Amino acid sequence: MSGPILLALRLLLAVALYAFLVWALWLMWRDLRQQSRQLAAPAAPPLILTLKNDGAELTYRFTTAEVIIGRDPTCNLRLDEKTLSARHARLSYHHGQWWVEDLHSTNGTLLNAERVSEPVVAAAGDLLRCGAVLFEVNFEPT
């Protein structure tokens, strides 16, 4: 009687071991595939925002795929300007282009003097106005 029980336990242990090995290999394969996709994805070209303020120019360079402009300390470009909202505008890189999006700001976001009501593509040399702050948008070649 103990012979068949012992055989069943051995078979159950073997099945559990093989199931664990298949699961571990599948997880490693999935992780490697995800890493290869991230490495193959094109990196965002560096974004250069030139602040134009009463004849003075201040240049900011960003290498991330998303830049948020506003007064909030968590923003990538934090400016202490009363016409800016806490989180005023977002520039994000996707589909091979930089996009400008207004984040429901009080004083609005304009790209080349046109109000941004939905995400729009930004080109080199465009003028971006967030409240009373004016930026020139440029990109560094990669």
Side-chain angles (χ1 to χ4, degrees):
M1 181 98 160
S2 66
I5 293 174
L6 190 57
L7 179 64
L9 286 175
R10 284 182 181 172
L11 289 175
L12 186 62
L13 183 62
V15 168
L17 180 62
Y18 282 112
F20 173 76
L21 289 174
V22 167
W23 176 72
L25 289 172
W26 179 77
L27 283 176
M28 287 190 301
W29 175 78
R30 189 181 70 172
D31 188 46
L32 284 173
R33 193 177 68 187
Q34 181 182 3
Q35 287 180 8
S36 68
R37 281 186 193 151
Q38 288 175 346
L39 290 174
L47 173 68
I48 300 170
L49 294 176
T50 305
L51 174 64
K52 299 189 175 272
N53 187 14
D54 300 327
E57 292 187 355
L58 203 58
T59 302
Y60 300 94
R61 183 178 182 274
F62 301 95
T63 56
T64 59
E66 180 178 270
V67 175
I68 297 183
I69 301 170
R71 287 182 295 130
D72 193 273
T74 61
C75 292
N76 303 93
L77 178 51
R78 185 190 176 285
L79 296 171
D80 197 22
E81 167 66 40
K82 61 183 173 192
T83 60
L84 283 178
S85 295
R87 291 173 53 88
H88 196 97
R90 174 187 5 240
L91 287 101
S92 55
Y93 186 79
H94 54 89
H95 297 99
Q97 297 174 318
W98 278 98
W99 294 74
V100 176
E101 177 183 2
D102 182 63
L103 299 176
H104 308 291
S105 62
T106 305
N107 293 317
T109 303
L110 290 94
L111 185 66
N112 295 326
E114 291 188 28
R115 190 167 197 75
V116 175
S117 56
E118 59 187 36
V120 293
V121 175
D126 281 354
L127 295 176
L128 175 66
R129 181 175 295 280
C130 298
V133 181
L134 181 66
F135 298 99
E136 182 179 349
V137 178
N138 281 301
F139 316 110
E140 246 180 49
T142 54

